[in-house]
């Protein structure tokens, strides 16, 4: 029941609609902007292999665990923990998720705002062959009024979709747009791998050099897997809460994971050949890298200048849309919390929480050149946006996922979780493997990584 309207809680229209919406949440800037950046910084191919292992053995089981908790309780993360473990501290895991959602949304919207501005820049042919794409990026991200303005515009779009609710808002948008994104990315990948110098990029991406692997590379891979799959803060608990008891959770989790991972791999296939073609180093250039590199690839598509204009505009529109279907899930978590737990109307919740995320995002919008001390935080060394990303987009998600796997594996229990999975047809394919992964592999791997990190911090 929705306490504000007295209506029954919304559900997805079909299993396919749910898979697309969850894939829409997962697929976003994390895949196209984040994955190639992190992979580039961590050695390319070796990172890719560790990432795939992290997705299969840690990400996928946590995804299923979140969906199970969501469908079982039919509630937001705070409500879900309250329902399954009344009067315990577990509710704080849900609370941390709600907070983390707002924090991630705040800087996510800033980056997505750059994407919006690039739609218009591409359309008017800004990225011709002579354009200095690095200078253009510096101008877009470094101008305070523009950066805040586009951040505002993107947040307004996010609020608009969330106001529409689950079926008429989120579902309606993702169903059409995700397939188009896939086709366009595939076309760009074909273009990228046929560039001169592409072979070097492919070698970097597919030929592992394990001497580059250490604890922080593994942490980066696991962190990237959680961020990319939208795990660790209850987004999949929330989306799972709108799944009908007739639908199958195991295959849904598998589809979402597979879609998300293929898009990330595809993005690498676009970025690395292009980087090497342009004679640039992977892993340098920070948050602007993808914007700088992609625009030069896009603008090289013949016939000049129309190929560049058409593909550039199309690409940034789709990237903006991919970001929108993700940011919507970030706002949906605190919104569903306010609706379920505080009795707010959806309208009030989405507007107020979206406004908070907008305000929180302002320092991030000023952190790429507009304000010097935010661009290079004293004592931290990185910019404010990257700092928030590390704190909430990495640590908070990793800790959240650890607690979720401990909760489902040991507290609420794999037995009870299994019963929820079997609700639809009595079956739980790979149920034993999942139970083993969620009880042992996920918590141990995550804890080992956290310890390794603390160890490193104190130089012991
Ligand atoms: N997964 C999205 C991306 O790759 C971002 C995102 C949306 C997210 N919802 C989330 C990340 C929840 C962590 C948690 O761009």
């Amino acid at each position: 029941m929705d306490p504000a309207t007295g209506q029954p809680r919304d559900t997805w229209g079909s299993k396919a609609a749910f898979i697309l919406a969850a894939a829409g949440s997962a697929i976003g800037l994390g895949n196209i902007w984040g994955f190639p950046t992190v992979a580039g910084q961590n050695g390319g191919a070796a990172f890719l292999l560790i990432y795939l292992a992290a997705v299969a053995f840690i990400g996928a089981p946590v995804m299923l665990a979140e969906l199970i908790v969501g469908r079982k309780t039919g509630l937001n993360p705070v409500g879900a923990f309250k329902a399954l473990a009344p009067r315990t501290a577990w509710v704080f895991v849900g609370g941390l998720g709600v907070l983390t959602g707002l924090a991630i949304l705040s800087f996510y919207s800033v980056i997505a705002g750059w994407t919006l501005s690039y739609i218009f820049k591409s359309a008017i042919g800004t990225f011709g062959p002579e354009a200095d794409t690095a200078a253009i990026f510096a101008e877009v991200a470094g101008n305070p009024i523009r950066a805040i303005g586009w951040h505002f515009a993107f947040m307004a779009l996010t609020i608009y979709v969330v106001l529409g609710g689950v079926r008429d808002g989120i579902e309606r948008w993702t169903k059409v747009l995700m397939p188009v994104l896939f086709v366009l990315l595939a076309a760009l990948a074909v273009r990228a791998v046929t560039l001169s110098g592409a072979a070097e990029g492919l070698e970097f991406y597919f030929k592992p050099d394990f001497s580059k692997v250490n604890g922080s590379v593994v942490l980066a891979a696991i962190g990237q897997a959680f961020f990319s799959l939208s795990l660790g803060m209850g987004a999949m608990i929330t989306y799972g809460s709108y799944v009908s008891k007739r639908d199958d959770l195991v295959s849904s989790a598998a589809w979402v994971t597979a879609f998300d991972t293929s898009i990330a791999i595809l993005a690498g296939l676009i970025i690395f050949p292009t980087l090497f073609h342009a004679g640039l180093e992977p892993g340098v250039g920070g948050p602007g890298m993808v914007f700088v590199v992609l625009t030069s690839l896009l603008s090289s598509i013949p016939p000049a200048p129309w190929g560049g204009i058409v593909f550039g505009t199309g690409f940034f529109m789709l990237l903006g849309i991919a970001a929108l279907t993700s940011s919507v899930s970030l706002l949906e978590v605190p919104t569903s919390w306010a609706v379920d737990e505080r009795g707010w109307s959806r309208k009030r919740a989405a507007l107020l929480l979206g406004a908070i995320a907008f305000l929180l995002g302002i320092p991030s919008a000023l952190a790429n050149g507009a304000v010097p001390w935010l661009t290079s935080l004293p004592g931290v060394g990185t910019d404010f946006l990257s700092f928030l990303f590390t704190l909430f987009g990495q640590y908070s998600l990793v800790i959240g996922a650890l607690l979720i796997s401990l909760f489902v594996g040991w507290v609420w229990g794999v037995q009870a979780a299994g019963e929820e999975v079997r609700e639809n047809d009595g079956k739980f394919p790979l149920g034993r493997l999942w139970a083993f992964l969620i009880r042992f592999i996920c918590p141990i791997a995550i804890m080992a990584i956290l310890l390794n990190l603390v160890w490193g911090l104190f130089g012991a």
Side-chain angles (χ1 to χ4, degrees), residues 33 150 207 275:
W33 164 79
W150 287 113
K207 210 170 143 207
L275 269 175

Side-chain angles (χ1 to χ4, degrees), residues 96-110:
L96 178 68
V98 170
L99 267 181
T100 303
L102 283 178
I104 296 181
L105 178 60
S106 77
F107 66 78
Y108 200 84
S109 167
V110 171

Side-chain angles (χ1 to χ4, degrees), residues 77-139:
V78 172
F81 280 101
K82 266 196 209 160
L84 296 179
R87 285 176 298 281
T88 62
W90 285 101
V91 61
F92 288 111
V93 181
L96 178 68
V98 170
L99 267 181
T100 303
L102 283 178
I104 296 181
L105 178 60
S106 77
F107 66 78
Y108 200 84
S109 167
V110 171
I111 304 166
W114 301 340
T115 308
L116 293 187
S117 118
Y118 268 60
I119 298 174
F120 293 92
K121 286 207 178 306
S122 308
I124 58 171
T126 312
F127 304 108
E130 263 87 68
D132 181 347
T133 54
I136 295 172
F137 176 74
E139 160 63 17

Side-chain angles (χ1 to χ4, degrees), residues 38 47 50-55 57-59 62 215-229 231 393-394 397-399 401-402 441-450:
V38 182
F47 178 86
I50 295 170
Y51 178 74
L52 291 178
V55 165
F57 297 116
I58 302 174
V62 173
S216 75
V217 174
V218 181
L219 177 82
I222 296 179
Q224 174 63 25
F226 288 143
F227 187 86
S228 188
L229 294 166
L231 300 176
Q394 296 187 307
L397 297 182
V398 169
I399 291 169
L402 170 65
I441 301 301
C442 298
I444 291 173
I446 303 172
M447 275 191 286
I449 287 300
L450 284 172

Side-chain angles (χ1 to χ4, degrees), residues 24-32 100-101 104 108 224 226-236 260 322-323 325-327 329-330 333 392-393 397:
S25 163
I27 297 166
L29 298 170
N31 303 61
I32 295 160
T100 303
I104 296 181
Y108 200 84
Q224 174 63 25
F226 288 143
F227 187 86
S228 188
L229 294 166
S230 299
L231 300 176
M233 54 147 280
M236 290 298 162
D260 184 70
T325 56
S326 299
S327 64
S329 75
L330 290 163
V333 173
F392 291 98
L397 297 182

Side-chain angles (χ1 to χ4, degrees), residues 19-28 174 178 239 321-327 329:
I19 291 175
L20 278 178
S25 163
I27 297 166
T174 42
M178 296 317 293
Y239 273 29
I321 288 156
L324 185 60
T325 56
S326 299
S327 64
S329 75

